[in-house]
Amino acid sequence: MSTTNGQWYPPEWPDRIRALAGGELTPVEPRRAATVLLLRDTEHGPVVHMLRRRASMAFAGGAYAYPGGSVDPRDERSVGWAGPAPETWAARLGLEDEAAAQSVVCAAVRETFEEAGVLLAGPSADTVVADTTGEDWEADRAALVARELSFAEFLARRGLVLRSDLLSGWARWITPEFEPRRYDTWFFVAVLPQGQRTRNASTEADRTVWIRPADAAAGYDRGELLMMPPTISTLRELEPYGSAGQALDAAPARDLTPVLARAELRDGEIVLSWPGHAEFTRHISPASPVPSDSPASPAEGGAAS
């Protein structure tokens, strides 16, 4: 496995980067996606919910991440809504299309329910579901995962409205152009609703954990926890906050300009960098050994399902 601290890179990257630089590789259009940093307070400070993707997964196998995934085209359907309107979200997320903004927010709420069993919705604009356990909830969650049920149908059936006010935009990362699987991913923060609890509801994860951002970052630094650049970056950004509410309050002032990796060829050496995130800069020389046991390629832009 090719790792630097807890961050790993697939062996095919150098060849793909050189192919892109030589005009032999056409970048894939990134799919929109959303992921949620779900927070709750403890006596030792705020903790964030993370899952470890199964090593067998084609996307980011073995890496720690947050609940999230790709936008479903049906996320644009008319849905019960409370909180900032899609027009407001479009301005915040940097999208011209209100339907596209709605779909990103819907994906964030839907994926959090699908992968963590937590639902940011309620019977009214100022209430939230207190319990999402039980066989009936699990049946609906499974139907959403199987795409047998749209999120709009799910909410309508239960008489619920999506609480967009419980989310706040935190960051945006786009998978590098040389990756075969690309995502334009918005990262949101949210506080675990009172009465609800997380569970490992995802077939893509073999472990879930509530962990202090500083502890997770330390695990990465020791090489014990594998993470992609957006994950470790957002963890470090959470460290200064003494409560989940403080992080949520700080989110509206954050810059959501997309972070996109740059790859340059300098005298045969590849210089890989993420603007504004110097810790991820890597220099790959032509003589660098190619690891034989790297996991499948990580799409370094966020989460997908």
Side-chain angles (χ1 to χ4, degrees):
M1 182 181 297
S2 177
T3 64
T4 302
N5 293 333
Q7 177 188 349
W8 45 264
Y9 296 95
E12 65 269 21
W13 269 18
D15 287 343
R16 294 189 64 86
I17 290 171
R18 291 188 174 93
L20 179 66
E24 303 167 5
L25 182 68
T26 301
V28 175
E29 187 70 20
R31 296 175 60 185
R32 291 192 179 113
T35 191
V36 177
L37 286 66
L38 194 61
L39 305 169
R40 67 174 174 85
D41 288 318
T42 72
E43 60 181 6
H44 302 294
V47 290
V48 62
H49 180 69
M50 304 190 75
L51 53 84
R52 184 177 64 188
R53 296 180 62 84
R54 295 184 184 278
S56 59
M57 295 298 298
F59 170 78
Y64 279 80
Y66 313 112
S70 300
V71 167
D72 181 336
R74 298 177 300 172
D75 287 332
E76 291 191 4
R77 291 183 180 179
S78 179
V79 63
W81 190 277
E87 178 182 1
T88 302
W89 275 107
R92 176 61 178 138
L93 300 179
L95 293 167
E96 297 180 3
D97 187 342
E98 294 177 23
Q102 175 190 299
S103 69
V104 171
V105 175
C106 276
V109 176
R110 175 180 51 75
E111 288 283 346
T112 302
F113 180 57
E114 289 183 10
E115 297 199 338
V118 171
L119 183 60
L120 303 176
S124 66
D126 57 0
T127 59
V128 65
V129 173
D131 185 6
T132 59
T133 60
E135 293 183 3
D136 58 334
W137 285 102
E138 176 56 27
D140 280 349
R141 192 199 66 79
L144 285 168
V145 172
R147 299 299 182 258
E148 297 168 354
L149 182 68
S150 72
F151 195 58
E153 292 168 337
F154 163 69
L155 292 179
R157 174 189 296 178
R158 289 186 171 270
L160 301 174
V161 294
L162 181 152
R163 290 284 307 276
S164 77
D165 57 312
L166 299 180
L167 287 167
S168 198
W170 188 263
R172 181 182 178 186
W173 289 66
I174 301 177
T175 308
E177 293 183 333
F178 49 81
E179 269 289 291
R181 186 182 300 199
R182 302 186 65 213
Y183 300 94
D184 183 352
T185 304
W186 283 264
F187 288 72
F188 296 85
V189 289
V191 178
L192 179 70
Q194 186 173 0
Q196 292 194 39
R197 59 181 183 269
T198 56
R199 56 195 173 90
N200 185 4
S202 174
T203 58
E204 299 175 355
D206 61 10
R207 185 190 183 206
T208 60
V209 63
W210 283 100
I211 187 170
R212 291 195 319 132
D215 292 339
Y220 168 90
D221 290 335
R222 291 192 299 267
E224 296 171 359
L225 303 181
L226 293 178
M227 296 179 200
M228 296 177 289
T231 308
I232 182 57
S233 172
T234 49
L235 279 172
R236 294 201 199 284
E237 291 162 354
L238 286 174
E239 287 189 47
Y241 300 101
S243 71
Q246 287 180 12
L248 200 65
D249 291 343
R254 289 185 54 81
D255 183 6
L256 296 189
T257 300
V259 178
L260 176 64
R262 294 176 180 170
E264 302 176 78
L265 287 177
R266 301 177 186 171
D267 298 325
E269 181 184 62
I270 295 172
V271 180
L272 183 61
S273 64
W274 278 258
H277 300 270
E279 75 166 293
F280 304 129
T281 300
R282 297 290 178 266
H283 295 260
I284 307 171
S285 68
S288 296
V290 176
S292 60
D293 59 345
S294 268
S297 168
E300 298 270 356
S305 56

